[in-house]
Amino acid sequence: MNQSTIVQIKNIYYPILAAFGVPANILTIVILSKGNCCLSKCISVYMVAMATADLLVMIVNVIVNRIFSHHFQFIHSLLSYTAICKLFNYISCINLSISVWFTILFTFDRYVALCCQKLKSRYCRVTTAAPIITTVTGLACFASIPFWFAYESEQVINDVHWGCRTRLYFFTSPAGIAFSWFHSILIPWLPVALIFLFNCLTVRRIVVASRARRAFQAHRSDGQSDPEMESRRKSIILLFSVSGSFTLLWLTAAVSFLSTRITNIAHYRGGDAAPAYIATETGYMLMYLSSCTNTCIYAATQTKFREELKQLVQRPCMFILTLVK
């Protein structure tokens, strides 16, 4: 049976994405946990949380749901149990939620650190970051509970429930429609709006502060560089790279989610060759790509992270060369 172009692309794309995304996020967690990247402990906590959430997305959403369930009969058979299928759908939703909202926490933390000096000393601390991350994770688990009721079994054989399909009554009931809209706004439109807001406020504050610093530097005769301005510049590059990458990669999925809710598209006429299906799957591919880009951003913008990454990659190679010799 001939497969459509988009299906062939998915069959190649997701294994490559997983092969890069899993080790990239693991290396990120290891490097940031060591604390040798000249970053504050608070921002390191948020970055480790982001990498952990992205790793979960790679393992569950991509490897299990997008690769193993389609190409490995054992995994497909295991996920055919309705209870297990519903569980993985629930976990997948939580993974995406915390991945998105940890990015918001990171963006807000950088906004506070750069623009709110009075709040910075109280908010930008590990003792504050850890409870906030835990609370957001708990809220994501709670907000995703309706997904347990959004699916039902396709058939019952010998009292065993098999298959997993969307429950039509759930998505047509007032409560289901309200939850569908709520979830579409919560992920990703509200996060995109918050990132845009915090970045605009940060830019405004930085422009004003930079003018004042330049005016001060103009009266100095020693010609030395301003370390505060250099540190601020690096923070801005890191912030805008992470938040900008997230916004761009989620934009297609955001538009697709919104158009689906507005037009009430439940099935794609024309199968996997339908424009709506192609747009949705393209949005998913870009959305999952956002879960492995942060490592590249850190390596490109942070000198210390790049050095740690180089050392971490070289050690196994040196060990293998030693064994060979």
Side-chain angles (χ1 to χ4, degrees):
M1 182 177 180
N2 293 330
Q3 295 179 327
S4 65
T5 302
I6 187 65
V7 173
Q8 294 177 15
I9 292 174
K10 286 165 54 180
N11 290 339
I12 299 173
Y13 175 81
Y14 283 119
I16 294 176
L17 182 67
F20 174 78
V22 171
N25 283 303
I26 292 176
L27 288 173
T28 300
I29 294 171
V30 172
I31 292 171
L32 294 175
S33 299
K34 293 169 64 178
N36 297 329
C37 296
C38 295
L39 297 169
S40 67
K41 292 183 178 180
C42 181
I43 190 175
S44 295
V45 169
Y46 285 118
M47 292 167 71
V48 168
M50 291 164 59
T52 303
D54 290 341
L55 178 61
L56 292 175
V57 170
M58 284 290 111
I59 293 174
V60 177
N61 299 50
V62 175
I63 295 179
V64 176
N65 289 346
R66 293 280 171 166
I67 301 176
F68 285 176
S69 63
H70 293 284
H71 302 286
F72 292 85
Q73 186 60 37
F74 171 75
I75 300 297
H76 178 74
S77 301
L78 185 63
L79 292 178
S80 294
Y81 289 102
T82 302
I84 296 179
C85 175
K86 292 171 67 174
L87 175 63
F88 271 90
N89 285 335
Y90 175 68
I91 295 174
S92 297
C93 181
I94 294 174
N95 291 342
L96 285 176
S97 298
I98 61 176
S99 177
V100 168
W101 284 97
F102 286 172
T103 304
I104 303 299
L105 294 180
F106 167 81
T107 305
F108 183 72
D109 176 79
R110 291 299 83 204
Y111 162 71
V112 172
L114 294 169
C115 305
C116 307
Q117 295 302 316
K118 293 183 179 179
L119 182 61
K120 177 181 177 180
S121 59
R122 291 178 296 170
Y123 182 83
C124 299
R125 299 185 300 179
V126 175
T127 53
T128 302
I132 289 177
I133 291 172
T134 303
T135 301
V136 168
T137 303
L139 290 175
C141 295
F142 177 77
S144 301
I145 288 178
F147 277 98
W148 277 105
F149 307 98
Y151 298 92
E152 62 182 359
S153 59
E154 294 181 338
Q155 55 184 335
V156 180
I157 302 176
N158 297 328
D159 293 329
V160 178
H161 292 261
W162 292 91
C164 197
R165 66 184 178 187
T166 56
R167 192 188 299 269
L168 183 61
Y169 172 76
F170 177 86
F171 287 103
T172 56
S173 65
I177 293 173
F179 171 74
S180 181
W181 273 103
F182 168 76
H183 187 262
S184 297
I185 294 173
L186 191 66
I187 304 172
W189 282 108
L190 181 58
V192 170
L194 289 175
I195 285 178
F196 181 77
L197 173 63
F198 292 142
N199 283 350
C200 287
L201 294 174
T202 302
V203 168
R204 179 184 177 184
R205 178 68 179 83
I206 291 302
V207 168
V208 173
S210 297
R211 289 175 180 174
R213 295 292 298 184
R214 282 197 296 266
F216 172 76
Q217 286 290 324
H219 295 285
R220 294 181 59 177
S221 59
D222 52 12
Q224 294 181 357
S225 61
D226 189 350
E228 182 177 339
M229 289 295 294
E230 182 64 21
S231 175
R232 187 177 298 168
R233 184 185 68 83
K234 292 180 179 180
S235 295
I236 288 295
I237 292 174
L238 177 61
L239 169 63
F240 285 5
S241 298
V242 172
S243 58
S245 171
F246 168 83
T247 302
L248 291 175
L249 292 175
W250 270 82
L251 196 57
T252 302
V255 174
S256 176
F257 291 161
L258 184 62
S259 63
T260 300
R261 297 299 179 267
I262 292 176
T263 57
N264 291 321
I265 297 175
H267 301 284
Y268 302 111
R269 295 179 180 177
D272 52 23
Y277 176 84
I278 294 173
T280 300
E281 291 303 317
T282 302
Y284 277 125
M285 288 190 287
L286 294 175
M287 178 181 70
Y288 289 133
L289 178 61
S290 69
S291 292
C292 65
T293 55
N294 284 346
T295 302
C296 300
I297 292 173
Y298 301 155
T301 61
Q302 303 295 309
T303 304
K304 289 293 183 179
F305 182 90
R306 188 162 55 249
E307 293 175 355
E308 289 289 324
L309 178 61
K310 189 181 299 183
Q311 292 179 8
L312 205 60
V313 172
Q314 286 178 346
R315 286 173 186 172
C317 297
M318 296 298 295
F319 179 72
I320 294 174
L321 290 175
T322 303
L323 293 178
V324 172
K325 292 180 179 181

